Amino acid sequence: MPTVIVNDEALEYEVGEQLLDVARRNSSHIGFLCSGKGICQTCTCRVLEGQENLSPPNELEQILISEARLEQNYRLACQTKLQGTGSVKILSRAEEIRRLALGVVQPPPGTNPGENLGRFLNRLTGVLPSNLPETLKRLTKIQVSPNGVQHWTSDLGHVVDRMLNTDSTTALPVPSEQSKLTKQ
Ligand code: FES
């Protein structure tokens, strides 16, 4: 089976699967507050490699993600399909922020704590959902099912459990943002 690297971990997937489904199945550190309904944007991630092996940004992503962010390869994992078998590398926003925060409290050797703090604060500014009017409009249409809540709670529990039981205290490197690597 092909694999996608999510937060430095290789995960198996089937061609055509949503990136968020693969991440959730493996309890990766990624947000899924609205369970893939395209509202919360907590599933935002950055494509570090292999944009060409993903579905292109769909209409909703083009509405919700700014042009600048799209240029920096930001995507919504719940709207992105793995459509090729070539190498793909992803860093979720949740994990990116966690790593940047660790870089502030435990600066890795050779890094500047002030610069680490600046990167962390700078990244926090992008946490609120962009395009608020569209987000609120979609929020009014949300439907909650008992099965969906149960699935969500179970997946969240697995992510938290994994975070608590793995060595997540190391400040891993966070790649710099860069312009689009591959044109669609
Ligand atoms: S999970 Fe909410 S927008 Fe993707």
Side-chain angles (χ1 to χ4, degrees):
M1 271 179 111
T3 54
V4 52
I5 310 286
V6 177
N7 302 336
D8 294 319
E9 182 184 26
L11 311 177
E12 291 187 340
Y13 68 89
E14 305 222 10
V15 173
E17 264 195 288
Q18 295 280 8
L19 181 55
L20 182 63
D21 290 343
V22 179
R24 277 181 76 164
R25 187 169 66 241
N26 289 278
S27 309
S28 298
H29 187 211
I30 191 167
F32 48 89
L33 194 57
C34 74
S35 263
K37 296 190 172 54
I39 298 169
C40 66
Q41 300 172 41
T42 58
C43 65
T44 298
C45 57
R46 186 148 56 99
V47 182
L48 306 175
E49 265 178 46
Q51 182 91 279
E52 67 278 11
N53 293 306
L54 301 172
S55 57
N58 66 15
E59 197 182 342
L60 180 61
E61 288 179 283
Q62 291 181 35
I63 291 171
L64 293 179
I65 306 176
S66 70
E67 209 171 308
R69 288 276 179 209
L70 283 173
E71 284 290 319
Q72 290 166 337
N73 304 316
Y74 281 91
R75 301 292 305 270
L76 294 181
C78 70
Q79 304 297 313
T80 304
K81 285 189 176 163
L82 292 146
Q83 61 179 25
T85 55
S87 119
V88 179
K89 200 169 172 188
I90 303 289
L91 181 63
S92 72
R93 182 171 64 184
E95 177 63 12
E96 185 171 18
I97 289 173
R98 186 189 74 81
R99 292 182 186 186
L100 289 172
L102 275 174
V104 175
V105 294
Q106 285 177 357
T111 66
N112 180 317
E115 277 176 18
N116 294 351
L117 179 62
R119 282 184 82 192
F120 172 65
L121 293 176
N122 186 39
R123 195 64 198 86
L124 275 189
T125 59
V127 165
L128 286 177
S130 53
N131 200 333
L132 218 49
E134 178 64 27
T135 302
L136 292 175
K137 197 169 85 186
R138 295 180 66 78
L139 196 56
T140 59
K141 295 184 185 153
I142 197 165
Q143 290 180 338
V144 179
S145 74
N147 277 352
V149 172
Q150 198 177 23
H151 182 205
W152 187 91
T153 310
S154 165
D155 283 0
L156 181 64
H158 287 129
V159 173
V160 172
D161 189 48
R162 224 182 135 199
M163 295 291 294
L164 294 176
N165 290 299
T166 53
D167 179 17
S168 54
T169 55
T170 310
L172 295 165
V174 177
S176 307
E177 289 175 339
Q178 53 194 323
S179 57
K180 206 159 190 145
L181 301 170
T182 311
K183 291 279 175 205
Q184 299 292 324

